[in-house]
Amino acid sequence: MEQSELENLRYPIGHFIRPTRINQLILKDWIAQIEALPVNLRDLVSPFSDTQLDTPYRPGGWTVRQVVHHLADSHHHSYIRFKWALTEDRPVIKPYFEKEWSQLVDARSGPIDLSLNHLEAVHAKLVFMLNGFTREDWQREFIHPDGNTLSSLEENAGRYAWHGNHHLAHIQGLADRMNW
């Protein structure tokens, strides 16, 4: 497989690019994307058989099942990061080893409904919270220890809207290639 083809499979919607200026229209769009993810994901993967769920979305990539569980784990972390930034002054967040988490028994073989239900609940809470943000809330920040990068909550909303769509596109691309 060529490098450009593999890159397209890895990043089917491209990399997240932070807009120079994030306005209310962009934030509303990101919140709508975050709100839609659990339904879109469930609609896409619910008809899959166990064999389909255990198919990697690309060579060397996670299986569909692992991607579903990863989304629940990752977006749970994001929700907590929002809360930390709202209640602490520029907290240093705790990263997690997503590759190692993807190898745990729940991610490798657990029923996807566990994570679909979890993702639905986390997103409902997150969207409710985001819709109540003030302009000052959106500007609150946290520090990611990888490179000590500073992220605002408005940027984090965009990153997680992108993240959900990124993995949804992985699964949709596989389904299209396999004619599922």
Side-chain angles (χ1 to χ4, degrees), residues 29-43:
D29 183 51
W30 286 342
I31 292 170
Q33 292 175 46
I34 290 167
E35 185 172 30
L37 177 67
V39 171
N40 292 339
L41 183 62
R42 187 181 294 277
D43 287 350

Side-chain angles (χ1 to χ4, degrees), residues 141-160:
E141 299 171 318
F142 62 79
I143 300 166
H144 198 291
D146 293 345
N148 288 325
T149 54
L150 197 61
S151 290
S152 67
L153 293 187
E154 64 183 8
E155 180 180 345
N156 201 47
R159 189 170 306 282
Y160 274 86

Side-chain angles (χ1 to χ4, degrees), residues 3-93:
Q3 186 65 25
S4 62
E5 188 179 356
L6 185 58
E7 183 70 8
N8 288 339
L9 291 176
R10 289 183 69 207
Y11 293 97
I13 63 169
H15 295 269
F16 174 72
I17 299 172
R18 185 193 190 285
T20 305
R21 184 171 178 275
I22 300 172
N23 60 34
Q24 289 296 3
L25 186 60
I26 291 171
L27 290 170
K28 285 185 185 296
D29 183 51
W30 286 342
I31 292 170
Q33 292 175 46
I34 290 167
E35 185 172 30
L37 177 67
V39 171
N40 292 339
L41 183 62
R42 187 181 294 277
D43 287 350
L44 179 59
V45 300
S46 288
F48 287 8
S49 68
D50 279 336
T51 300
Q52 291 168 320
L53 289 172
D54 294 330
T55 302
Y57 73 89
R58 68 170 170 83
W62 289 337
T63 66
V64 172
R65 184 184 310 276
Q66 287 171 304
V67 171
V68 171
H69 292 306
H70 164 71
L71 279 165
D73 291 340
S74 176
H75 290 214
H76 181 100
H77 274 83
S78 179
Y79 175 71
I80 297 300
R81 291 169 181 177
F82 275 102
K83 290 203 154 217
W84 279 335
L86 288 168
T87 60
E88 300 176 26
D89 186 29
R90 289 188 171 170
V92 177
I93 58 126

